[in-house]
């Protein structure tokens, strides 16, 4: 996964909004698309709780179009596969590859070591095990969990929980030391601040690094 591309992130974000035809504020899928495209991910894995979430899947299709990458969607069974294909139609048929099986086992296999990003539905059974396995994928992989508000208060999941849509959990692992990194890749602690424009009602998210004085 190469350096951050603001152009890719912006284009994917705007295309996702147009594809979703939203009349209200952007949801989690647009931010997922921007993050995946911005990091130039070439191989992204989507782990679904049931049938493929059409908004999340299409957001990854947009990102893959921007980076020239591909998407692998892991489903539990044939029923979910049929429902997913019906929901997506012809969108992304040349980019999405469907795989049926146990997500935790599949993510632990050698094939998925090349993945740059893993996106997981937090409502899936055994999310804890799947998320932990996903963090071991790739050299410098990024792991995103959507519908993350359902796991609020669970300290076992490392990462930044962003108050976007139904919650977006962002975690990144650097293979050089095996530790979780914040999304910027720095070792400094940070927090997210939300400010609401009193005139438009729009929410703006700012990432603020905590300053730490040098020891004497």
């Amino acid at each position: 996964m190469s350096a951050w591309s603001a152009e890719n992130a912006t284009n994917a974000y705007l295309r996702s909004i147009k594809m979703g035809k939203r009349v209200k504020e952007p949801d989690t899928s647009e931010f997922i698309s921007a993050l995946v495209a911005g990091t130039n991910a070439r191989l992204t894995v989507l782990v679904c709780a049931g049938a493929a979430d059409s908004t999340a899947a299409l957001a990854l299709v947009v990102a893959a179009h921007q980076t020239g990458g591909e998407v692998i969607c892991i489903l539990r069974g044939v029923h979910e596969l049929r429902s997913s294909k019906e929901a997506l139609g012809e969108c992304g048929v040349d980019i999405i590859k469907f795989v049926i099986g146990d997500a935790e086992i599949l993510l632990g296999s050698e094939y998925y070591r090349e993945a740059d990003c893993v996106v997981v539905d937090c409502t899936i059974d055994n999310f804890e095990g799947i998320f932990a396995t996903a963090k071991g994928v790739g050299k410098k992989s990024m792991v995103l969990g959507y519908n993350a508000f359902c796991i609020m208060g669970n300290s076992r999941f490392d990462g930044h929980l962003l108050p976007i849509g139904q919650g977006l959990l962002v975690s990144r692992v650097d293979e050089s030391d095996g530790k979780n990194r914040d999304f910027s890749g720095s070792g400094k602690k940070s927090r997210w601040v939300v400010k609401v424009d009193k005139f438009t009602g729009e929410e703006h998210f700012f990432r603020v690094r905590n300053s730490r004085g040098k020891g004497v």
Side-chain angles (χ1 to χ4, degrees):
M1 190 158 51
S2 56
W4 174 262
S5 170
E7 181 180 0
N8 279 350
T10 301
N11 289 338
Y13 181 85
L14 295 176
R15 288 179 181 176
S16 294
I17 290 179
K18 291 180 180 179
M19 182 174 289
K21 298 179 180 179
R22 299 191 181 281
V23 294
K24 296 182 179 180
E25 72 278 1
D27 204 350
T28 313
S29 58
E30 287 86 4
F31 287 91
I32 290 176
S33 185
L35 287 173
V36 174
T39 52
N40 292 291
R42 301 304 300 273
L43 176 58
T44 303
V45 180
L46 174 63
V47 180
C48 303
D53 183 301
S54 59
T55 55
L58 291 177
L60 295 180
V61 167
V62 170
H65 271 300
Q66 190 66 38
T67 64
E70 62 178 319
V71 179
I72 295 178
C73 181
I74 299 179
L75 302 169
R76 292 185 299 182
V78 176
H79 175 71
E80 288 79 8
L81 174 61
R82 291 173 180 169
S83 299
S84 299
K85 289 186 174 181
E86 290 177 1
L88 295 175
E90 296 298 318
C91 296
V93 292
D94 57 330
I95 292 179
I96 297 181
K97 175 183 178 182
F98 292 101
V99 176
I100 296 176
D102 185 298
E104 185 175 1
I105 295 175
L106 289 173
L107 288 174
S109 64
E110 189 67 26
Y111 178 78
Y112 292 90
R113 294 292 176 183
E114 299 300 320
D116 297 306
C117 179
V118 180
V119 182
V120 185
D121 184 347
C122 296
T123 64
I124 193 172
D125 293 337
N126 190 31
F127 170 75
E128 180 181 356
I130 294 172
F131 195 79
T133 302
K135 289 194 295 183
V137 171
K139 295 180 179 180
K140 291 186 177 181
S141 60
M142 177 174 64
V143 184
L144 305 176
Y146 62 98
N147 293 326
F149 285 153
C150 69
I151 59 169
M152 284 185 66
N154 194 332
S155 60
R156 290 173 294 181
F157 303 119
D158 298 319
H160 295 288
L161 179 59
L162 307 185
I164 302 170
Q166 295 303 309
L168 179 63
L169 184 63
V170 181
S171 182
R172 187 173 179 179
V173 177
D174 189 337
E175 191 183 54
S176 62
D177 59 10
K179 296 180 180 179
N180 292 316
R181 298 288 188 184
D182 60 33
F183 184 67
S184 67
S186 69
K188 297 180 180 179
K189 293 183 178 180
S190 61
R191 59 193 176 90
W192 287 87
V193 176
V194 182
K195 290 188 177 181
V196 180
D197 189 311
K198 63 181 180 181
F199 296 107
T200 65
E202 295 180 338
E203 293 182 339
H204 301 275
F205 300 88
F206 301 92
R207 187 167 176 275
V208 181
R209 292 179 181 174
N210 297 332
S211 60
R212 180 182 298 177
K214 295 182 179 180
V216 179

